[in-house]
Amino acid sequence: MNSKVVHIGKGKDTLQEIPKPPGYLSASAKKHYLQMAKKLMKIERLKETFLPALEIYAEAMAQFEFAVREIKDKNREEYGTGYIQVFRTGAANVTAEVSLKNNAEATLLKCFKQFGLDPRSEKELKVETNQLSFGFEELAKSLNS
């Protein structure tokens, strides 16, 4: 064993086990929590500090799923009614389900960015990781010489 090797920090700060989903999440949100946690763990991006974002992701995914299902059901009855609601006055507006879906999509995209799951943030994360590991490699080389 090389006695000149220095270990910095506490090692990996990624979680090695998936924490139990909070009780206040719906059954659907808990399902999404566990699915995404498994994916994040596999790519070593599940950290304790990310758990609130994971909860937000899970709830947004459950809302998105609900809204899409409701839109589909309304459109099955009469096409277009899942997207546009027409009032007795003749005024029209998007349905509550479309608004819910749009808000959930926006939240999901923010969560994807935080976890590095969209192309741009994944690239940024890799650059930061590569720069960080390069810095540690250089530090280790200087300590060994």
Side-chain angles (χ1 to χ4, degrees), residues 7-140:
H7 296 280
I8 300 171
K10 296 179 181 178
K12 283 188 180 180
D13 60 347
T14 57
L15 298 176
Q16 302 303 309
E17 291 183 27
I18 297 173
K20 186 176 176 182
Y24 53 79
L25 291 179
S26 67
S28 178
K30 286 178 184 178
K31 175 187 78 167
H32 293 296
Y33 175 98
L34 293 170
Q35 288 173 343
M36 180 57 83
K38 185 177 179 181
K39 291 174 186 176
L40 291 171
M41 186 176 289
K42 186 175 181 178
I43 60 174
E44 297 183 342
R45 292 195 191 143
L46 182 61
K47 299 179 179 186
E48 190 162 341
T49 57
F50 293 168
L51 293 179
L54 178 59
E55 293 170 21
I56 292 168
Y57 161 83
E59 184 58 38
M61 192 63 205
Q63 290 176 12
F64 175 81
E65 189 176 69
F66 170 81
V68 170
R69 191 176 294 116
E70 290 295 309
I71 290 168
K72 181 177 150 188
D73 289 347
K74 285 184 177 185
N75 281 339
R76 196 176 298 134
E77 291 176 22
E78 182 182 345
Y79 190 76
T81 59
Y83 303 119
I84 304 294
Q85 60 183 342
V86 180
F87 300 97
R88 284 183 256 175
T89 61
N93 200 355
V94 296
T95 62
E97 292 82 8
V98 168
S99 295
L100 178 61
K101 181 182 84 59
N102 290 344
N103 290 339
E105 285 173 349
T107 300
L108 289 169
L109 291 173
K110 289 176 187 174
C111 289
F112 291 156
K113 183 174 181 166
Q114 181 165 354
F115 294 128
L117 299 177
D118 68 303
R120 186 176 183 182
S121 62
E122 181 181 36
K123 185 178 177 182
E124 289 171 1
L125 185 64
K126 283 183 180 177
V127 168
E128 289 174 18
T129 302
N130 289 342
Q131 288 173 348
L132 187 61
S133 64
F134 175 76
F136 285 136
E137 288 170 9
E138 291 301 309
L139 177 62

Side-chain angles (χ1 to χ4, degrees), residues 2-6 139-145:
N2 187 346
S3 62
K4 292 185 180 182
V5 175
V6 176
L139 177 62
K141 283 180 189 175
S142 68
L143 292 172
N144 286 328
S145 49

